[in-house]
Every structure is written in C-alpha cells, then in structure tokens.
Amino acid sequence: MQLLLFRHNWGLPETSWEQKLKRTSASGYAGFETGELLPSDYSLFHELLKKYRLGFIPQIFTSGTGIDEHLASFRKQLSALGIFQPTRVNCHSGSDQWTVSEATRFYQEAMRIEADMEFPVAHETHRGRCLFHPWAAFRLLEACPRLQICADFSHWVCVCERLLSEEEAILRECARRTIHIHARVGFENGPQVNDPRAPEWKAHVEAHEKWWSWIWEAQRAKGASLITLTPEFGPPTYLPTHPHTQAPIADLEAICSWQAQRQAERFKAWSEKNVK
C-alpha cells in the first residue's frame, strides 16, 4: 500500500495556478487539493496537473435549504469533475441540523449518485456537517455501509473537548471507511494547535498519529492499494495570531512541510515493520 501526500491550496500564497502546482511538485508532493477551482479554470488546471505530474483531490461543498437541494448540488459538482479523473473527491456534505433519519436519506441517495462516477468520494468529518461528531458519524456509518470518509479527527477533538478517549470503537470503524486523511492536530478548545512541533502538544500529536496508524492498518487489511494524506493546517485565523498585529504565531509552510515529512517517515517505518 502506498501513502500519497497532497498539498492543500489553503494557505498558499495568492499566486497563479501554475506557480502553485510547480511549487507543489517541487516540494515532493504527489498531488494537490483545493476547493477554490472555478469551472473557467478547468481546462488550464487540467493541463497543469499533467505538466507537473500531480494527482488531484477536488474539494466540494454541498449546499441548499434542504436535503434535495444538497443532493442536487452534490450531483452537479461531481458530474463536472470527470475531466480530471481525480484520485479522490473530498466532500463537506449535509448539515449538522438534520436528524439521523434525514442524514441517512441524504447519504443513501448520495451513494447512488457516487455509483455513477468513476472516482471515489470521501465525506469529511467536519464541523457544521452531518459527520461533525463521532456518535452521529457512527450511526450514519452503520446505516450506510458504502459510505467512505475523509478523516479529520481534529474537528472531533474540538467538538468533544477531549482526546476521544471513549471513542475507540468508533475510530476503529472510521479507519475501515477512511480513504483520505486530513492530518491536522486539534486540541480540546480548537481544531488546530498553534504549532504541532512544540513539546507541549506531544500528547495530542501522538494521539492523532495513533488514529492515523489505525487507518493504515485497516486499509491494508482491506487490500487497499493506496491511502492519501493532506497536512491540512490552515492560515490565520485557524493558525492563531498575536493580538493587535494579527501576525501568525508560527510558519504555516514550515508546519505543513514538517507534518508531510513526519508522516511519510512514519508510514515508511510502519510499512517496513509490517512487510509479510
């Protein structure tokens, strides 16, 4: 099984798509993830992906005033992405306002829509969405056996205000359903620590890494050929800032690079240890 590292557009300097993709390729990433691509950019962006030999994970966001409108936006966005043959699609789906019954209906229909596509879709465990909380997610995973996720457990640490010490069974089930990882480190009072390299966050980094290792184990056991990972740390104000000046507390690019290298090294060591 391969680990493919993707760089998120979030927080990159506001330059051209070519400069961003060239920088991503030169930094050693296998691909690029973004939710900020306009249809008018599709043709150029497609050519740039080929030029720099990068995979692509488009990020989409369902929207509307009810389930049917969210489903319509889901179908419309997915249908436009075939040109890219994306490695995965990452989706912020549904709403945390829905009941379990409503969310189940959404995902059951979303699975039927996905079945017509030639690429896998990962539904993110994101605040404000159906999968915002571990127990809500677990009920939906039980109700929708084909539902696959993007695991961003930093959101759950924030929502639950703990390092998920009581949710191992849920995290293990999520590991079996995860096809994409957003490797950000959260803490009890927010979705992003100020600098994961700082020693005071050691326990939080190690907790998240334990969960990511469970994903690797579960996907390897399923026979998956690859797992994708994005070190998705965000810019200010996700990245805390100094008061008054609003200067970021840490260097975002250095954090993302550190996380990408750290997880690549961890995966390599894990793979060598688990060679049959």
Side-chain angles (χ1 to χ4, degrees), residues 84-114:
F84 297 110
Q85 297 180 315
T87 310
R88 275 102 172 82
V89 172
N90 180 33
C91 183
H92 288 202
S93 51
S95 171
D96 61 0
Q97 299 177 20
W98 295 348
T99 65
V100 173
S101 176
E102 290 171 329
T104 298
R105 181 166 81 83
F106 169 83
Y107 281 115
Q108 287 175 340
E109 182 58 32
M111 297 302 99
R112 285 189 278 272
I113 294 171
E114 290 175 30

Side-chain angles (χ1 to χ4, degrees), residues 134-240:
W135 296 97
F138 187 62
R139 296 182 187 103
L140 292 169
L141 291 172
E142 285 189 313
C144 305
R146 292 185 291 122
L147 177 59
Q148 300 183 114
I149 66 174
C150 166
D152 189 340
F153 297 135
S154 68
H155 291 287
W156 287 1
V157 172
C158 175
V159 169
C160 296
E161 296 189 324
R162 61 179 180 271
L163 278 176
L164 307 178
S165 57
E166 302 169 24
E167 285 76 27
E168 180 171 345
I170 295 174
L171 291 164
R172 293 281 190 180
E173 180 58 28
C174 286
R176 289 186 281 273
R177 304 293 193 91
T178 297
I179 60 171
H180 184 40
I181 299 169
H182 274 180
R184 187 172 62 245
V185 177
F187 67 114
E188 292 81 351
N189 301 120
Q192 180 170 306
V193 299
N194 51 25
D195 190 336
R197 301 168 296 179
E200 58 265 33
W201 298 118
K202 182 175 185 288
H204 294 74
V205 170
E206 290 179 349
H208 285 71
E209 289 181 338
K210 175 180 66 177
W211 305 329
W212 302 334
S213 293
W214 290 352
I215 292 169
W216 299 343
E217 292 165 6
Q219 292 305 306
R220 184 175 183 271
K222 287 179 65 175
S225 61
L226 62 90
I227 186 77
T228 53
L229 182 150
T230 300
E232 195 217 23
F233 287 85
T237 54
Y238 244 74
L239 177 62

